[in-house]
Amino acid sequence: MSGAIGRRLPKRNDPRLLRGNGHYVDDIDDSGALHAVVLRSTVPHGRITRFDAGPALAAGRARLVLGPDEIERATDAIPLAWRLPGQTTQRIDLATRTARYVGQPIGVVVAASRQEAEDAAELVEIEYERLPAVVGIDAALADGAPVLYPEAGSNLAGGIHFGDPADELARIIEGAPHVVERRLAVQRICHSPMEPRGLLAEWVAATAKLTVWSSTQSPHVVRQELAAALRLRVDQIRVVAPDVGGSFGGKVTLYVDDALVCLAAMTLGRRVKWIEDRTENLTSSYHGRGQQATARLALDADGRFLALHAHIHGDVGAFTIQAGSGPFQVAALAIEGLYRFPAAGATVTAVHTNSVPTGAYRGYGMQEAAWIRERLVEEAARELGMDATQLRLLNMIRPDEMPYTTRTMLTYDSGDYPAALRRAAELAAERTRASSNTVRRGTAVTANVEISGFAPSALLEMFQIDWAGWEGARLRVNQDGTVTVFSGVISLGQGIETALAQIAADRLGVPMDLVAVELGDTATATYSDLSSQASRSLALAGGAVSRAADRMRARMHGLAASYLGGDVTFDGTAFHGDGKSISWRDVAFRGWKGWGRAEPDRVQLEETVDFDPPAITYSYSAHGAAVAVDLETAKVTVEDYWTISDSGVLVNPLVADGQIVGGIAQGLGIALLEEVVYDPATCRPLTASYQDYVLPTAADVPRVALEHRCTPSEVIPGGFKGLGEGGTIPTPVTIANAVAAAVPAIAEQLVTSPLSPHRIWSALGNAKGEERTWPPCGTP
């Protein structure tokens, strides 16, 4: 082995990206291409009564305008992959005749330039019969609320229950010595990738082939959904993802506007380009989160957990997208975290509102579950007068109980959860700082388990989720001895191409510079439905690459042995045996000539492995935060942050650290700053620019202390586990618990994120009443 695994190597694409040599969709040569602008609804709810493209076409600027009639004649619906029982919407139609949110795509205009297309779009005349609209879960469920789908009779979009029966949970909770109940909410958020969505589509009539360069996480999903929507064979479409400037779940699927741009290219027989602007990204791209829950935690007199139940209401927006209910279902499945519950469960109810549909966002349901669970545990400790860490340790799953199956049927594979929490608590004790009369300080630690390596195909079939969970890898030793690895996962800035090269080099025993990794092109990549999402790319693609490399290593050793005779050894550049040597390159050359092979019908030096994991693997972590709350401004500052993580075998600790710190920065933004806001009266978005939607800056993020532990996965070759979401999941609730420790008088009110100055100021006012003085520092 080369020892490449475990080395802190810089990401391979860093030099060119940092020098401005990235190759994103907008960098592709678009000479001769036409440009598209998507026509979007200007009303939150209304029937389209008139769509007249005549003025735009008569002005001579628009080359093409497609409205609902043209779109309906040429397309079918986009299929949905993950549905709730009783789900109201079963597909996504490309032709929109009833708009249900501001920003919904209803047509497309194509012109010679983006500016001309925007000018022409203003000339398209669209009239609506306005209908009543509603935003917000509570408003949508209120008696007499406007209904988005009258045929459904309400705004309920479907529902499901996981775990012990709700009536049994109610019985246990009602008889418990102590119960903590809270109504906890997580706001809607925008993905805000560095690079918004965009694509360049080319239809060649002579070959009847569509090529799409897209900023996407999932090229194969885009390909198959385009085939369904545009009535093409899958093999007529090639999807290429060049450099992708971030996603965080916002680019995992095909959007209606993506399909409309491709339809325009097919209609014109030309290249058509569309790049989303930032306002579109904030107000039209699918949002994340948007959940509220009523949750109850029951404990006995000694603090042992008896039962946990949460009723989760998820805002799916105007319609359910391909996996729109998925985050709320994952929140229910992950509700128990790493604690031992004799009884637990969660009920999910999805709700339609006249707002942008919601979908995957980094931490996908697990952050929402952590917000519910860890706030309840912290509040239980406060009410019982117990140390919060000791309460957690009292109820935490021990290493000798592994594998452990929760009440919602998640089976944790391995780890020492208490050890990580104890270490985080030790670091908290070292980071305690004094408060003053105007600035109160507090620390908190929380614990979390992360679903990674998602998911066995049999599990997806059982849940009736129309995805493939397996991951493939193809590894080729070329004639010159270089190695090429092909995978279906995508590089989004997480360094996966570097990590896969390290795995291949390590398992083959060759230098890293021999290995190249090819990603993102459906013409060459191995098939992948889920690709780079759900903390799975390294675990599953890495597992497949590891097995493929092991097979290739055996073949190369066999070819060398046939030439040298007898047993051989390999030093990273040459094979040795029987007093002779032959280089790796020469063995590859002989192999492609077919000389010395052991199998008569097998010549090519290529190995393909399809890896379907036997089970999910789970990473875990403990996080700690130290915060300062300014009582005069109500501003919360995170002064220190630390984490102890166990993600199995780390292929590249440098990349792992970057992923965790980046995730923590995102979690801090969700905890304190970011929030999608709609005007409840007009149902229009109010956060349409970064003047209104606030992101964290470098000044908001403290230095993060990182420690790693290693419990290798027993279900993934190489012992890898995912970590892409682990930094984000517990961060908001860790910060909230630290705020509760800093100002205990407002702890009970810390139920909704973000903890903005407005919310903290309101909580301080509620706690003080009319009193404007606070007790001396250190007084509870």
Side-chain angles (χ1 to χ4, degrees):
M1 305 301 170
S2 71
I5 290 178
R7 293 174 61 191
R8 300 179 66 87
L9 301 177
K11 290 185 289 187
R12 285 187 154 193
N13 57 0
D14 278 353
R16 64 180 180 84
L17 294 180
L18 294 172
R19 291 186 176 97
N21 295 321
H23 192 60
Y24 302 93
V25 170
D26 204 24
D27 295 318
I28 298 171
D29 182 9
D30 60 2
S31 54
L34 300 175
H35 295 260
V37 165
V38 177
L39 294 167
R40 301 186 183 278
S41 172
T42 57
V43 303
H45 198 189
R47 295 187 189 92
I48 298 173
T49 57
R50 180 168 176 262
F51 185 99
D52 187 358
L57 295 170
R61 292 180 177 178
R63 302 290 183 89
L64 176 72
V65 180
L66 298 176
D69 290 344
E70 295 83 6
I71 296 167
E72 184 176 50
R73 285 194 294 269
T75 64
D76 292 326
I78 300 173
L80 299 182
W82 192 352
R83 297 166 294 277
L84 276 167
Q87 186 164 303
T88 305
T89 52
Q90 295 292 326
R91 62 183 191 176
I92 303 174
D93 292 316
L94 272 64
T96 301
R97 298 191 184 279
T98 298
R100 292 186 171 88
Y101 65 94
V102 173
Q104 184 171 357
I106 58 176
V108 64
V109 176
V110 180
S113 69
R114 175 67 179 249
Q115 182 176 350
E116 287 183 301
E118 289 178 347
D119 291 343
E122 292 182 359
L123 299 177
V124 178
E125 297 178 358
I126 307 170
E127 295 178 0
Y128 302 87
E129 175 193 347
R130 289 178 178 265
L131 300 171
V134 63
V135 292
I137 293 171
D138 287 340
L141 294 178
D143 291 340
V147 177
L148 276 69
Y149 298 92
E151 64 276 16
S154 75
N155 289 319
L156 297 179
I160 195 170
H161 180 83
F162 298 99
D164 294 296
D167 56 355
E168 175 65 12
L169 292 171
R171 183 190 64 78
I172 297 171
I173 292 170
E174 288 164 8
H178 191 83
V179 176
V180 178
E181 180 173 353
R182 295 289 185 273
R183 197 164 185 262
L184 296 143
V186 176
Q187 76 276 28
R188 274 177 172 252
I189 48 178
C190 293
H191 294 84
S192 296
M194 179 186 72
E195 176 202 24
R197 294 186 298 117
L199 59 85
L200 175 65
E202 180 181 47
W203 173 257
V204 179
T207 58
K209 295 291 178 68
L210 175 68
T211 302
V212 181
W213 292 267
S214 175
S215 181
T216 178
Q217 278 181 257
S218 307
H220 282 97
V221 167
V222 170
R223 182 191 194 201
Q224 60 202 30
E225 291 180 352
L226 274 175
L230 300 180
R231 301 171 183 168
L232 296 173
R233 291 163 47 116
V234 170
D235 60 8
Q236 288 181 274
I237 303 172
R238 177 189 176 196
V239 176
V240 181
D243 286 333
V244 177
S247 173
F248 313 116
K251 301 174 182 177
V252 299
T253 191
L254 178 73
Y255 284 68
V256 170
D257 39 26
D258 299 334
L260 295 184
V261 175
C262 293
L263 175 62
M266 292 177 63
T267 304
L268 292 166
R270 293 282 301 276
R271 278 190 169 199
V272 177
K273 180 179 181 178
W274 170 70
I275 301 295
E276 179 184 59
D277 65 32
R278 188 56 69 178
T279 296
E280 287 179 297
N281 181 259
L282 288 167
T283 62
S284 303
S285 280
Y286 301 148
H287 292 156
R289 308 294 193 251
Q291 171 185 300
Q292 63 187 39
T294 300
R296 295 193 293 173
L297 170 64
L299 307 91
D300 69 15
D302 297 321
R304 289 183 174 82
F305 297 162
L306 298 176
L308 172 66
H309 180 240
H311 190 164
I312 295 166
H313 286 89
D315 183 351
V316 295
F319 51 81
T320 309
I321 64 170
Q322 288 87 331
S325 68
F328 311 122
Q329 296 191 59
V330 171
L333 287 165
I335 194 67
E336 296 160 84
L338 30 59
Y339 303 114
R340 190 187 313 102
F341 285 95
T347 306
V348 176
T349 300
V351 181
H352 285 302
T353 62
N354 290 109
S355 46
V356 176
T358 55
Y361 186 97
R362 192 177 193 175
Y364 201 111
M366 290 176 282
Q367 185 186 90
E368 296 92 309
W371 179 260
I372 295 168
R373 179 183 63 252
E374 297 299 316
R375 281 299 297 131
L376 288 178
V377 173
E378 199 79 8
E379 285 296 278
R382 185 177 63 85
E383 292 183 5
L384 291 170
M386 294 182 65
D387 177 80
T389 297
Q390 291 307 312
L391 179 61
R392 288 183 168 89
L393 290 170
L394 177 66
N395 292 282
M396 192 167 283
I397 300 163
R398 301 186 307 270
D400 61 358
E401 296 176 286
M402 295 288 188
Y404 183 91
T405 301
T406 70
R407 305 303 297 177
T408 59
M409 302 309 294
L410 300 182
T411 301
Y412 302 150
D413 50 348
S414 59
D416 190 339
Y417 303 160
L421 183 65
R422 288 191 187 97
R423 177 56 182 157
E426 289 175 4
L427 294 175
E430 298 171 4
R431 285 159 166 77
T432 300
R433 296 177 61 187
S435 296
S436 68
N437 284 334
T438 58
V439 177
R440 300 298 171 85
R441 289 184 169 87
T443 62
V445 295
T446 64
N448 183 70
V449 64
E450 175 190 1
I451 299 170
S452 66
F454 187 80
S457 296
L459 182 66
L460 295 171
E461 181 183 19
M462 183 177 74
F463 279 97
Q464 297 183 338
I465 304 173
D466 296 338
W467 286 327
W470 57 272
E471 200 63 47
R474 186 167 70 255
L475 186 148
R476 177 190 301 149
V477 175
N478 301 302
Q479 291 92 331
D480 62 355
T482 59
V483 179
T484 309
V485 175
F486 300 90
S487 175
V489 299
I490 291 296
S491 175
L492 306 160
Q494 82 278 38
I496 188 62
E497 62 276 84
T498 305
L500 293 182
Q502 286 180 255
I503 294 170
D506 188 272
R507 302 307 299 172
L508 290 171
V510 299
M512 275 278 291
D513 58 10
L514 283 187
V515 183
V517 177
E518 297 287 337
L519 309 172
D521 188 341
T522 58
T524 57
T526 53
Y527 179 80
S528 177
D529 259 1
L530 292 169
S531 192
S532 292
Q533 56 176 307
S535 297
R536 67 185 300 279
S537 57
L538 187 280
L540 269 65
V545 169
S546 183
R547 285 187 173 176
D550 285 347
R551 294 180 186 178
M552 182 57 70
R553 184 182 71 250
R555 288 185 64 191
M556 290 292 285
H557 276 251
L559 288 168
S562 71
Y563 176 77
L564 297 174
D567 295 332
V568 299
T569 59
F570 181 56
D571 63 10
T573 58
F575 294 91
H576 308 278
D578 198 23
K580 298 181 292 183
S581 299
I582 183 172
S583 70
W584 170 272
R585 178 187 178 120
D586 287 342
V587 170
F589 177 85
R590 288 177 56 81
W592 280 97
K593 299 306 177 188
W595 301 339
R597 66 183 187 272
E599 303 168 82
D601 298 323
R602 195 171 186 218
V603 177
Q604 297 183 67
L605 296 183
E606 190 166 282
E607 290 289 341
T608 299
V609 168
D610 297 329
F611 174 57
D612 197 351
I616 294 173
T617 192
Y618 296 84
S619 300
Y620 64 95
S621 62
H623 283 223
V627 306
V629 182
D630 189 321
L631 302 181
E632 295 182 335
T633 65
K635 177 178 171 60
V636 176
T637 300
V638 182
E639 296 184 320
D640 206 346
Y641 204 95
W642 57 97
T643 178
I644 291 80
S645 302
D646 189 336
S647 302
V649 174
L650 294 183
V651 175
N652 187 321
L654 181 64
V655 170
D657 289 352
Q659 283 291 288
I660 293 170
V661 172
I664 289 168
Q666 269 187 299
L668 184 149
I670 295 165
L672 302 177
L673 302 169
E674 300 181 48
E675 184 172 19
V676 171
V677 178
Y678 280 83
D679 184 324
T682 65
C683 299
R684 294 180 176 278
L686 298 178
T687 42
S689 76
Y690 285 144
Q691 289 181 316
D692 310 304
Y693 188 89
V694 183
L695 291 173
T697 68
D700 297 305
V701 183
R703 182 177 298 276
V704 177
L706 298 143
E707 292 185 10
H708 294 284
R709 294 167 181 256
C710 179
T711 308
S713 170
E714 297 178 2
V715 300
I716 303 294
F720 316 130
K721 297 180 179 180
L723 54 70
E725 299 165 293
T728 304
I729 293 167
T731 304
V733 73
T734 307
I735 292 171
N737 287 346
V739 172
V743 191
I746 68 171
E748 189 172 351
Q749 300 178 65
L750 303 179
V751 293
T752 301
S753 55
L755 302 181
S756 61
H758 171 74
R759 280 202 174 94
I760 296 296
W761 186 259
S762 297
L764 291 171
N766 292 337
K768 291 185 291 187
E770 295 302 315
E771 180 63 47
R772 290 300 170 190
T773 60
W774 279 80
C777 176
T779 303

